Amino acid sequence: MDLPKYQAFYKPILLFLQDGKAHSTKEIKQYTQKYFSLKEEDIIEKLASGGQTVFTNRNAWALLYLKNAILIENTSRGIYQITQRGLDVLKDAPDVLNNQYLKRFPEFQQFLGKNVDSEQQSDTDENTPEDTFAEAFEKMNDNLADEILDEVMRISPVAFEKMILDLLAKMGYGAFENAGRTTSITGDEGIDGIIMEDKLGFDLIYIQAKKWDRDKTVGRPEIQSFVGAIAGKGGKGLFVTTAKFSSHAIAYAQTQHIILIDGRKLANLMMEYNFGVTVKKTFAIKAIDTDVFNEYNDEN
């Protein structure tokens, strides 16, 4: 299931803290997971920046916003307790507890850093900064993937075969002398390239690299032909194309242990290994290093 946005966490957090006792973030997360009936697979998804999970991140932002609205207080590191204002809000029992509701408190308005009537931020915006960053990052990568494939479609089929071998070398396959060769050397029918998986050449990867129209769907027959071409050669198979694969082709490839790379996956690999792309800008997302502060606390 899709995780609720961070504002949806406001109410369950207050409900959990309404006993007036101090509770840890771990306890709060356990409660919100139960409140939303989330399964383990729902809470392990990582942010685009890596490290923290989306579930942990949304709990953290909800706690931050509730704290700045003075509905809860941070009594010590990782420990929270409800305030009298928080109890009053629960008594008020609003149908929707969100940022629009919290704007009635001047401390929260000050936290937002602008007048409550400002139109700079939509009241319906339920994204955390990380959510917004992830969506923008995904959109930019989607656009870049399209640009990459446009460039790939401009090169010749023979150049495409060589490009695939060069990409595999960048990924760590055959990164040594004479590790890869194309059909212009091998002349093997149905095989467009061969690359060594280890330095001594005990394991070979046979490659079919087809620069086909991006709208084309590669079916099972094409994969069967490739399987026939490498049968008895004792190597592994990799089928790379700028097109896409049918569900039948994917299912058959899995039974034959053939790895498939379609146009979108090819573009993603090129981005991941900085092949044909360059890093334009790097953003470092930082967080508190609690170990540093623990050292100082230990000296007290």
Side-chain angles (χ1 to χ4, degrees), residues 49-285:
S49 57
Q52 195 178 52
T53 64
V54 177
F55 175 70
T56 295
N57 180 260
R58 291 185 180 171
N59 272 283
W61 279 100
L63 289 168
L64 176 67
Y65 275 49
L66 290 173
K67 173 187 171 183
N68 280 278
I70 321 298
L71 271 61
I72 62 174
E73 57 183 349
N74 193 190
T75 57
S76 60
R77 187 182 303 129
I79 304 296
Y80 293 88
Q81 194 168 5
I82 198 167
T83 63
Q84 184 57 51
R85 179 183 286 178
L87 292 171
D88 292 341
V89 167
L90 285 178
K91 290 179 183 178
D92 185 37
D95 292 333
V96 179
L97 182 55
N98 56 14
N99 288 347
Q100 178 61 31
Y101 183 93
L102 298 185
K103 284 179 180 178
R104 65 184 60 194
F105 305 118
E107 296 90 346
F108 189 72
Q109 294 180 32
Q110 184 177 3
F111 166 69
L112 292 181
K114 56 183 177 292
N115 188 282
V116 68
D117 295 325
S118 173
E119 296 181 357
Q120 295 178 14
Q121 177 177 335
S122 169
D123 293 332
T124 60
D125 182 11
E126 296 184 339
N127 287 339
T128 68
E130 281 86 354
D131 290 333
T132 302
F133 177 84
E135 289 178 3
F137 184 77
E138 184 176 359
K139 184 176 181 180
M140 286 188 291
N141 275 352
D142 284 342
N143 291 336
L144 179 57
D146 286 333
E147 291 181 33
I148 290 172
L149 290 176
D150 285 343
E151 291 296 326
V152 170
M153 294 303 294
R154 293 187 179 100
I155 67 178
S156 70
V158 173
F160 178 69
E161 294 172 10
K162 184 178 185 306
M163 188 197 81
I164 297 304
L165 288 175
D166 290 341
L167 172 60
L168 289 170
K170 188 74 177 288
M171 294 170 62
Y173 294 95
F176 38 91
E177 186 179 1
N178 298 323
R181 54 191 187 274
T182 62
T183 50
S184 60
I185 299 175
T186 64
D188 288 332
E189 185 177 354
I191 299 172
D192 295 323
I194 302 171
I195 198 165
M196 296 179 185
E197 190 174 12
D198 63 85
K199 291 189 176 183
L200 295 179
F202 285 117
D203 289 316
L204 299 179
I205 300 174
Y206 294 96
I207 303 162
Q208 188 158 108
K210 297 301 181 187
K211 188 179 77 74
W212 283 328
D213 188 273
R214 291 168 61 180
D215 294 329
K216 174 182 172 63
T217 299
V218 182
R220 174 169 170 160
E222 287 91 344
I223 308 303
Q224 286 177 314
S225 296
F226 180 49
V227 170
I230 66 175
K233 293 184 178 296
K236 302 173 182 179
L238 172 66
F239 196 117
V240 186
T241 180
T242 48
K244 52 190 175 183
F245 296 101
S246 70
S247 58
H248 293 296
I250 295 172
Y252 178 71
Q254 290 174 342
T255 65
Q256 301 299 315
H257 306 293
I258 301 295
I259 300 300
L260 303 181
I261 297 179
D262 61 12
R264 180 60 60 171
K265 188 172 183 178
L266 172 61
N268 288 338
L269 286 172
M270 292 175 70
M271 287 188 286
E272 180 180 352
Y273 288 91
N274 290 327
F275 185 88
V277 300
T278 185
V279 177
K280 184 177 181 181
K281 186 176 292 186
T282 300
F283 295 92
I285 300 177

